[in-house]
Amino acid sequence: MASPFGDASFEFVRRRLPLDVFFRPHNVAVIGASEDNPSVGYSITANLLATPFGGKVFPVNPKRASVLGMPCYSRVTEIPEPVDLAVIVTPAKTVPAIVSECVAAGVEGLRDAGERERLLAVDRHPPGPARR
C-alpha cells in the first residue's frame, strides 16, 4: 500500500516542550551538592543518582573536589556540557548570584529547594554514623 506522503519515509521526532526541562531533563546540576548526610545537597544528589533518568548529574560545590564519587565543579559555568535543570540547595542569600550565573551558563530551568523541601529531605535521610 502506498504512503499518502509518497516515497518519503518519516520518523516521529518528539520535539522538546517547555516543561521538559523539569520533567525530562538531559543534564541536571545540583548546586550545593554534598556528601554530608543528612543534608538537602546529599539527598537530592543521591536520589538523582539512584533513580536514573537518562541524563547526567553534575554536582556543584566550590568546597569539594568530588561528591559521591563524581567530579564536583566549583561553578555551574565550569560544567563542560549544557545543563537543562539546576537545582539550587544553598542558603537563600546565595540564590540571586547563583541564578545570575545559571542564566549566564544558559541553564533553561531552575529549582530552588525551599525550607519545606529542605526539612522533608533531611527527614527522609536520618543521620548516619558520625563522620570525621
Side-chain angles (χ1 to χ4, degrees), residues 36-130:
D36 297 332
N37 184 9
S39 74
V40 179
Y42 171 84
S43 297
I44 290 178
T45 305
N47 286 332
L48 283 169
L49 293 173
T51 311
F53 60 91
K56 294 182 183 177
V57 177
F58 295 98
V60 178
N61 187 328
K63 298 176 183 174
R64 301 201 176 256
S66 67
V67 170
L68 299 175
M70 301 176 60
C72 190
Y73 299 89
S74 294
R75 305 172 67 90
V76 72
T77 53
E78 295 176 359
I79 297 172
E81 297 184 38
V83 174
D84 295 319
L85 176 63
V87 180
I88 304 170
V89 291
T90 62
K93 66 182 180 185
T94 66
V95 172
I98 291 171
V99 168
S100 295
E101 185 178 321
C102 288
V103 170
V107 176
E108 295 181 51
L110 298 169
R111 176 69 173 104
D112 172 40
E115 188 61 26
R116 181 172 183 272
E117 287 84 359
R118 291 185 220 287
L119 293 171
L120 288 172
V122 169
D123 188 49
R124 285 188 200 115
H125 292 281

